[in-house]
Amino acid sequence: MNVSEQEFKFMTEGITSDLIQLLMDREGYTLPRAVEIVYDSNIYAALLRPTSGLYAQSSGYVYALLSKELEAKS
């Protein structure tokens, strides 16, 4: 998928926002803790790399990857 830099930024920001909201809704994290978890994750780092293709996936799919990462850390 070939997108402009502006489209890429819009898509990654939307997924990031969704990930934070899902952590709060499903896991009961506070907003500051959910933001910290997302920004400190390997999944977020991958999301910011256009070559990963994660920006073009659904928020649910990326959340599933984040959940697996969090499970592996605990």
Side-chain angles (χ1 to χ4, degrees), residues 3-71:
V3 297
S4 70
E5 186 175 328
Q6 183 178 7
E7 291 169 323
F8 175 76
K9 184 177 178 184
F10 177 78
M11 295 166 83
T12 57
E13 287 176 354
I15 292 172
T16 301
S17 176
D18 290 347
L19 293 175
I20 291 167
Q21 189 65 52
L22 287 165
L23 283 172
M24 293 188 316
D25 292 347
R26 294 184 181 177
E27 307 298 331
Y29 288 115
T30 63
L31 176 60
R33 181 66 181 133
V35 169
E36 179 182 6
I37 289 169
V38 170
Y39 286 172
D40 288 343
S41 71
N42 294 327
I43 294 301
Y44 180 70
L47 178 63
L48 297 181
R49 287 192 314 271
T51 55
S52 75
L54 286 179
Y55 71 92
Q57 301 299 321
S58 71
S59 297
Y61 176 78
V62 179
Y63 178 75
L65 296 175
L66 177 62
S67 292
K68 288 180 183 179
E69 179 182 333
L70 295 176
E71 285 177 19

